[in-house]
Amino acid sequence: MGLDRATIDAIAEELAQAERDHAVIERITARYPDARVEDSYAIQGVWRDKALAAGRRIAGRKIGLTSKAMQAATGITEPDYGVMFEDTVFPSGAELRHADYSNVRIEVELAFVLREPLEGPDCTLADVLAATESVVPALEVLNSHIQLEGRTIVDTISDNAAYGAMVVGDTRVAPEDVDLRWVAALLARNGEIEETGVAAGVLGHPATGVAWLANRFHAHGDRLEAGEIILAGSFTRPMWVHPGDEVACDYGPLGVVTCRFV
């Protein structure tokens, strides 16, 4: 049957409060086992609209769970998406307050900066590349406000796909200038390499995830807009970070993206 509107609104407010308190709540699916994916996107939508009404501005979208590495790490086998606000985007070298997030982990990704809108229902990888102004290496900071143990896709989507922040690199490349499948990364914490990966791990090509998102948006009567930044999904497992940790990800020709948690 799914969830009624009052329950959806109540969960969205609970998650908004958890974000303000940097807290973790009980799994939604533990309390509402009949909750569906459609309910989770409705919860995320109510939370997003509250944030927009409070003056936050959308910078782009994140796609999650697009690689075998991430699906194995979470036990969730289908992609999801969330919204990124402008106040969550940081340049390489930024210092981030660890206490501002919950269950803090880092993922390695490529971000697509759109020059033109992208719209489904038949968006392809080629369409994404044609609409992309540039591709930039990025780190995603995961920020989970729901208990990790036993969570499902419904819990993750409701929690804005566990998005916390994005740290953007300095090097931008045109998509036709690089074989994006072969972009590799070495993710280090405090000088020690913890994860490595290649961007083809994201659905065979990182742009495939962006096409998936455009087609998914079409089902909701929406599209991806010019100027938006689309995080295409991680091609490593998430790496836990703690206060005082220095994070550096070496993308070879695309440069090094760094941040520090204080």
Side-chain angles (χ1 to χ4, degrees), residues 3 7 11-12 14-15 25-35 39-40 43 146-147 151-152 154-159:
L3 304 180
T7 302
I11 296 171
E14 189 178 358
L15 285 165
I25 67 172
E26 185 182 3
R27 281 189 299 114
I28 294 166
T29 49
R31 294 176 283 162
Y32 304 99
D34 293 334
D39 298 320
S40 63
I43 292 165
I146 293 177
Q147 294 171 336
R151 66 181 171 154
T152 72
V154 169
D155 298 295
T156 305
I157 293 168
S158 300
D159 192 24

Side-chain angles (χ1 to χ4, degrees), residues 18 21-24 98-105 142-145:
D21 295 342
H22 316 304
V24 175
H98 189 275
D100 287 346
Y101 309 98
S102 303
N103 292 307
V104 193
R105 290 150 291 154
L142 293 182
N143 180 31
S144 298
H145 300 106

Side-chain angles (χ1 to χ4, degrees), residues 154-236:
V154 169
D155 298 295
T156 305
I157 293 168
S158 300
D159 192 24
N160 196 35
Y163 173 77
M166 175 173 61
V167 181
V168 183
D170 299 322
T171 303
R172 296 193 175 205
V173 294
E176 64 269 18
D177 290 345
V178 177
D179 187 343
L180 297 174
R181 299 171 305 161
W182 286 100
V183 173
L186 311 175
L187 178 62
R189 180 180 56 216
N190 302 323
E192 183 174 349
I193 293 174
E194 300 285 347
E195 294 288 341
T196 64
V198 179
V202 177
L203 299 172
H205 191 296
T208 303
V210 182
W212 171 86
L213 182 59
N215 292 327
R216 193 75 167 80
F217 262 41
H218 178 78
H220 298 290
D222 206 349
R223 69 178 188 177
L224 303 178
E225 300 293 346
E228 286 193 306
I229 306 170
I230 312 299
L231 265 180
S234 181
F235 48 96
T236 66

